[in-house]
Amino acid sequence: MSTRIVLLVTSPRLPAGLLTAEAWDTVRAGLVFAAAESEQTAALRAAGVPVTVLDTDAQGLLDETRGAPLVVWLAGPHGDQPFARQLGLRLAREPGLAELELMYGSWDPPGARLLDAVAVMDRLVSPGGDPWKRAQTHRTLAPYLLEESYEAYDAIERGDLDELREELGDVLLQIVLHARLAEELPDGRAWNVDDVAGILVEKMIRRNPHVFAGERVEDIEEITANWERIKREEKARESVLDGVALSQPALALAAKLLHRAARGGLEVALPEGDDLGAVLLRLVAEARAAGHDPEAELRRAALAYGEAVRVAEKAGPAE
């Protein structure tokens, strides 16, 4: 009877010992080996499963387990791919030695690599990590958060989804860095990335009762109205302008203020006069009344002008 060798791969991002029923049945029925001690080997031993650490190559495992009906190789956090490849090639040359089987004892859940991002950032900000990151504050990092967000926006405007994927990673870097720095705030003011995610999850559930609470809605307009209603109930605001980001570009800020005033049913006269600011604000109001996004329109015109500048550069200076 040929030996059955099971290469058991588990997710390093899940708690040790969190295995499928099939994996538990397998490790309890066979001889279990691993290349090194790990949280997984400790969890199996705690559950009464003997694990032997075997510092050897594929041939050494075959020699050690010759004649055993079932052998389990508990792969390390990175899957022990060189060892698995070596074992596979050895059995391909002499298939009668054993039958090799790959079994997944656990899988990475969606978003598992976010745990890696948090762990890497923790290493970078902890003592012995990156001195530059350790020296930053929320204020010194603020320009980078804005810059990375704009770069992601540019990728969307260009329709470059591959670049968008990378730029969103840079935005995520800023988020996990801010959260890691916040862990060291003094006087009981500290918070961490789990607090950030927890608040987000609660907000998404609370503001989407048509998904999580069985509330019936007729269309997207009603969903949007519900979102705004719930948002108003959450935040005790004294003004329709509360919550407007005052640091956004002036053109977008003007459009947002006009939008909030109109949504609040307020008719506030626009400033008179010929000074440039008043003229620009009136132009923004006219654009909104015509159904245009003034920020997008100016951006489009500016980019077109930029292309014209590039063409002029290639043509050389005028005679």
Side-chain angles (χ1 to χ4, degrees), residues 16-160:
L18 189 61
L19 306 177
T20 64
E22 181 185 17
W24 273 115
D25 289 343
T26 303
V27 295
R28 287 189 173 111
L31 301 175
V32 182
F33 297 88
E37 299 289 355
S38 66
E39 292 182 2
Q40 203 69 265
T41 61
L44 263 61
R45 290 197 187 100
V49 177
V51 181
T52 301
V53 173
L54 196 61
D55 183 14
T56 186
D57 57 9
Q59 185 59 54
L61 176 67
L62 293 171
D63 293 340
E64 183 77 18
T65 61
R66 193 179 304 276
L70 175 60
V71 174
V72 179
W73 182 264
L74 184 62
H78 301 292
D80 292 359
Q81 294 183 10
F83 178 86
R85 188 179 303 111
Q86 183 187 58
L87 182 60
L89 291 173
R90 179 68 182 89
L91 294 180
R93 292 195 302 269
E94 196 171 347
L97 289 177
E99 297 177 359
L100 182 60
E101 174 185 336
L102 176 64
M103 178 181 293
Y104 286 94
S106 59
W107 294 267
D108 283 346
R113 297 310 301 269
L114 292 174
L115 299 176
D116 292 344
V118 172
V120 169
M121 185 57 69
D122 179 67
R123 176 70 180 87
L124 289 170
V125 179
S126 296
D130 177 17
W132 185 88
K133 289 182 176 59
R134 287 176 51 79
Q136 300 311 303
T137 66
H138 297 299
R139 187 172 295 277
T140 62
L141 288 173
Y144 299 104
L145 179 58
L146 190 60
E147 179 182 347
E148 299 299 357
S149 298
Y150 277 133
E151 290 180 3
Y153 185 98
D154 286 345
I156 294 173
E157 287 291 294
R158 290 194 301 271
D160 191 335

Side-chain angles (χ1 to χ4, degrees), residues 203 206-207 221-243 259-260 262-265:
K203 183 184 296 184
R206 191 170 57 246
R207 294 189 183 177
E221 286 72 20
E222 188 174 350
I223 292 174
T224 304
N226 281 347
W227 177 282
E228 294 295 341
R229 173 183 56 79
I230 296 169
K231 187 175 180 180
R232 287 194 301 271
E233 293 171 354
E234 291 173 353
K235 300 180 181 293
R237 289 176 169 169
E238 298 178 355
S239 168
V240 295
L241 301 184
D242 288 350
H259 168 73
R260 285 290 187 91
R263 195 177 71 184

Side-chain angles (χ1 to χ4, degrees), residues 241 253-263 266 268 270 281 284-286 288:
L241 301 184
L253 173 60
K256 177 62 75 172
L257 294 175
L258 290 165
H259 168 73
R260 285 290 187 91
R263 195 177 71 184
L266 302 172
V268 181
L270 295 171
L281 184 57
V284 172
E286 292 173 7
R288 288 194 67 257

